[in-house]
Amino acid sequence: MRLVLLGAPGSGKGTQATCLKTELGVPHISTGDMLRAAVAAGTAMGLKAKAVMDAGQLVSDDILLGMLGERLTHDDAKAGFILDGYPRNLAQADALDHLLAKIDQPLDAVVKLDVPNEVIISRCEIRFKAEGRADDNPDTVRKRLAIYAEQTAPVADFYARRGKLQVVDGVGELSEVTARVKRALQDRSAAVHG
Ligand code: AMP
């Protein structure tokens, strides 16, 4: 299963990916987690990315594509993946299409978690208090939501035009949302395989 989870920051992509990965038998690939690991390790790329991330901006497409391209060559990604946080703009969606076409492994599904902004803002406030992520402070969250609306929302349209997008209500109990995502994946598989 090659799945992209779309949704605004704080929409629950990471949480849902964690719930789904064992069942689907594929790794959860979060570009945000990979970047945070690079920052924590103090690599040159991490140092470059940190200020951009703390400001709630997007790290450069080149860095992301290099990082993701390398990650997809790992053995565990041969069975597929759940991609969380990528693609975040149309250039990245295009780059992903090309990358996957080259290895003859197109996406199976794209699921967008739909969560209203006011719910996102309150979730990020809770996460800010619990985890202390600089980019979860309320001002930066507003900036990230604006970037999402401007740059990432068109990615959903990109997949909708290709008949790949499924939108799932991301508000509710964790297990309820997981069940909705699973249902969407089953519907998709039934539509593709009959
Ligand atoms: P996330 O954990 O997915 O919310 O990502 C945290 C931060 O990492 C984002 O606000 C961006 O600064 C950066 N980031 C993660 N994924 C991407 C991406 N695909 N393109 C650009 N920047 C990214």
Side-chain angles (χ1 to χ4, degrees):
M1 161 70 67
R2 289 176 294 276
L3 166 67
V4 164
L5 283 181
L6 285 180
S11 60
K13 302 184 297 293
T15 311
Q16 288 304 325
T18 304
C19 295
L20 289 163
K21 67 178 181 184
T22 313
E23 193 157 331
L24 297 178
V26 295
H28 166 205
I29 299 181
S30 154
T31 49
D33 283 351
M34 290 169 80
L35 287 165
R36 280 185 288 278
V39 171
T43 67
M45 188 261 276
L47 289 175
K48 222 161 118 182
K50 184 177 185 322
V52 178
M53 291 169 74
D54 284 353
Q57 310 278 354
L58 296 186
V59 176
S60 89
D61 290 346
D62 287 351
I63 289 183
L64 266 293
L65 186 60
M67 203 175 74
L68 182 66
E70 193 276 329
R71 178 64 184 85
L72 291 182
T73 64
H74 294 195
D75 273 351
D76 66 345
K78 299 264 185 302
F81 48 78
I82 304 172
L83 208 46
D84 152 19
Y86 192 100
R88 253 186 163 88
N89 60 29
L90 286 174
Q92 293 185 6
D94 241 357
L96 180 64
D97 254 11
H98 283 106
L99 189 65
L100 296 178
K102 242 194 318 197
I103 52 175
D104 203 18
Q105 302 206 329
L107 290 176
D108 296 306
V110 178
V111 172
K112 178 183 160 191
L113 298 174
D114 197 24
V115 179
N117 278 4
E118 60 271 19
V119 178
I120 299 269
I121 289 167
S122 92
R123 281 185 188 175
C124 286
E125 255 178 64
I126 294 169
R127 192 165 67 180
F128 184 52
K129 286 181 187 141
E131 296 175 23
R133 262 177 64 173
D135 59 350
D136 276 338
N137 87 64
D139 282 347
T140 311
V141 168
R142 278 189 198 92
K143 232 182 276 163
R144 290 165 72 202
L145 284 173
I147 291 176
Y148 177 82
E150 188 192 315
Q151 301 202 38
T152 314
V155 173
D157 299 334
F158 172 96
Y159 290 120
R161 278 196 299 276
R162 286 162 171 73
K164 284 208 165 156
L165 181 74
Q166 278 160 298
V167 180
V168 162
D169 179 3
V171 180
E173 289 293 319
L174 175 59
S175 59
E176 266 173 44
V177 179
T178 308
R180 286 178 206 141
V181 175
K182 282 203 251 175
R183 225 173 299 131
L185 294 177
Q186 281 157 8
D187 289 351
R188 167 98 200 139
S189 158
V192 171
H193 302 294

